């Protein structure tokens, strides 16, 4: 009996040990799958490189002051004069995008410069635009070493605007570079001031749904345009790192999570749904922001998913 009892106990120990090893192995597989899911994978496609002109195509009615807010933001991407250790800048924020270029072993990082500005204040295609018409407008800008940004006024309806998107980016085969299979990158963002500021200009407007915290004061005293700049910042990061749909992204190529869209609603440390995070506060105007720009401007820019830590990285 004693021998049988010892044999049974030994088998039980072995079974338990084997079960524990299986559980550890299974948990490691799950953990590895979760880590793989969190990482934005590189799909070996081209990234934007070198000096890139950002051309602004203004569609509809915009005030000169509104155009200045956006053009100053583009200028701020390469203006490091505002940056000090205690003074996070738009240019510092843009440098965080360069981590993706290190991963891709690409030494020719993008340097964005303000290019041409094209005004279409006569609504040449009407006040309700399709995706095809957005591309048509984007084609008016330079199609080499450029990002053509179409900005639609607050009274222009765009397919999907305020329903499931505040802006988008994509690419189109160039019509001017004949004989070569080249594409140009474009972005579209709408001014949501009158159509859906609670959806596309949060946290500068009461949100449409979710926790109803008081809205923050916008840094340039224009809820629609400040919201537009925030959306544009994220789309610029996505355009640089996934310009043609085969760069850095996670999930399906038709609805990818990218450098900024992987961090929705995150603008400062401690952010959670309904709370943008611990932002900087201008003591004079009471506005909230997280980045200094050219000429004393202040902006709110998107958090960038940091591929080295698999976390959303914020300036403040």
């Amino acid at each position: 009996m004693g021998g049988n009892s010892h044999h049974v106990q030994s088998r039980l120990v072995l079974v338990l040990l084997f079960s524990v090893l299986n559980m550890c192995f299974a948990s490691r597989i799950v953990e590895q799958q979760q880590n793989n899911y969190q990482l934005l994978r590189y799909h070996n496609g081209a990234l934007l490189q070198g000096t890139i002109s950002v051309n602004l195509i203004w569609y509809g009615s915009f005030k000169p002051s509104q155009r200045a807010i956006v053009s100053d933001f583009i200028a701020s991407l390469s203006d490091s004069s505002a940056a000090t250790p205690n003074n996070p800048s738009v240019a510092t924020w843009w440098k965080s995008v360069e981590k993706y270029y290190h991963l891709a072993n690409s030494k020719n990082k993008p340097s964005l410069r303000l290019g041409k500005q094209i005004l279409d204040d006569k609504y040449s295609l009407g006040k309700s635009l399709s995706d095809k018409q957005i591309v048509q407008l984007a084609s008016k800008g330079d199609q080499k070493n450029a990002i053509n940004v179409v900005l639609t006024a607050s009274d222009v309806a765009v397919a999907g605007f305020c329903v499931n998107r505040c802006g988008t980016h994509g690419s189109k085969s160039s019509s001017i570079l004949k004989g070569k299979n080249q594409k140009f990158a474009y972005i579209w963002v709408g001014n949501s001031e009158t159509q859906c500021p609670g959806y596309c200009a949060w946290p500068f407007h009461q949100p449409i749904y979710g926790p109803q915290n008081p809205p923050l004061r916008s840094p340039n005293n224009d809820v629609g345009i400040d919201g537009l700049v925030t959306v544009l910042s994220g789309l610029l990061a996505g355009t640089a790192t996934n310009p043609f749909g085969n760069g850095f992204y996670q999930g399906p190529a038709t609805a990818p999570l990218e450098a900024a869209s992987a961090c929705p609603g995150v603008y400062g440390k401690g952010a959670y749904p309904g709370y943008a995070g611990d932002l900087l506060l201008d003591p004079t105007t009471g506005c909230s922001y997280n980045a200094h720009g050219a000429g004393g401007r202040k902006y709110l820019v998107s958090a960038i998913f940091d591929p080295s830590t698999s976390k959303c990285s914020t300036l403040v």
Side-chain angles (χ1 to χ4, degrees):
M1 286 290 290
N4 285 341
S5 174
H6 179 73
H7 184 64
V8 169
Q9 286 176 344
S10 297
R11 286 185 64 188
L12 279 172
V13 169
L14 283 171
V15 168
L16 284 170
L17 183 61
F18 192 67
S19 297
V20 168
L21 286 171
N22 268 345
M23 286 172 65
C24 290
F25 184 67
S27 67
R28 283 184 67 184
I29 289 175
V30 170
E31 184 182 355
Q32 187 64 44
Q33 287 174 338
Q34 288 173 340
N35 287 339
N36 286 342
Y37 177 76
Q38 288 170 352
L39 290 173
L40 270 70
R41 285 200 307 114
Y42 181 42
H43 295 76
N44 300 315
L47 308 180
L48 293 189
Q49 298 182 333
T51 301
I52 305 290
S53 294
V54 180
N55 303 306
L56 302 178
I57 298 145
W58 301 93
Y59 187 82
S61 179
F62 287 91
K63 300 173 187 172
S65 60
Q66 293 178 318
R67 296 201 301 268
I69 293 168
V70 181
S71 58
D72 284 352
F73 172 70
I74 301 301
S76 300
L77 292 164
S78 57
D79 182 358
S80 57
S81 63
T84 67
N86 299 315
N87 206 20
S89 73
V90 173
T92 305
W93 168 81
W94 183 249
K95 282 206 163 293
S96 64
V97 176
E98 293 180 0
K99 289 188 178 183
Y100 287 88
Y101 286 73
H102 295 308
L103 278 181
N105 292 319
S106 174
K107 296 178 181 178
N108 195 7
K109 302 172 186 69
S111 177
L112 303 190
R113 298 286 187 272
L114 180 63
K116 296 176 182 176
Q117 298 197 52
I118 300 168
L119 270 58
D120 186 341
D121 54 4
K122 303 297 184 188
Y123 301 85
S124 64
L125 300 177
K127 291 190 174 183
S128 182
L129 303 179
S130 64
D131 283 342
K132 188 176 179 181
Q133 289 173 312
I134 291 294
V135 174
Q136 186 180 337
L137 290 168
S139 299
K140 293 183 176 185
D142 294 332
Q143 296 179 15
K144 189 176 181 182
N145 298 325
I147 302 173
N148 294 333
V149 181
V150 178
L151 303 165
T152 50
S154 59
D155 57 349
V156 176
V158 177
F161 187 35
C162 296
V163 178
N164 56 16
R165 61 183 185 171
C166 304
T168 191
H169 80 88
S171 62
K172 175 69 175 173
S173 295
S174 175
S175 60
I176 60 169
L177 300 172
K178 293 179 180 177
K180 294 182 179 178
N181 185 22
Q182 293 202 30
K183 297 180 176 181
F184 70 93
Y186 69 87
I187 291 174
W188 157 72
V189 190
N191 181 351
S192 65
E193 179 185 12
T194 57
Q195 296 186 55
C196 59
Y199 181 52
C200 293
W202 182 85
F204 303 129
H205 190 279
Q206 203 77 14
I208 291 175
Y209 52 84
Q212 296 296 303
N213 293 323
L216 305 177
R217 186 181 291 274
S218 67
N220 295 286
N221 202 31
D222 190 314
V223 168
I225 297 297
D226 278 315
L228 180 151
V229 167
T230 300
V231 174
L232 175 58
S233 71
L235 289 170
L236 283 169
T239 299
T241 55
N242 187 31
F244 308 121
N246 54 5
F248 283 96
Y249 68 89
Q250 183 69 42
T254 50
L257 279 181
E258 297 177 330
S261 59
C263 303
V266 178
Y267 302 106
K269 285 184 174 62
Y272 55 82
Y275 179 62
D278 303 332
L279 303 179
L280 300 174
L281 190 68
D282 187 304
T284 307
T285 63
C287 76
S288 296
Y289 64 101
N290 61 7
H292 291 264
R297 293 274 192 195
K298 296 176 177 67
Y299 296 102
L300 187 73
V301 293
S302 298
I304 298 295
F305 184 84
D306 187 332
S308 64
T309 63
S310 294
K311 292 180 180 178
C312 293
S313 174
T314 58
L315 280 174
V316 296

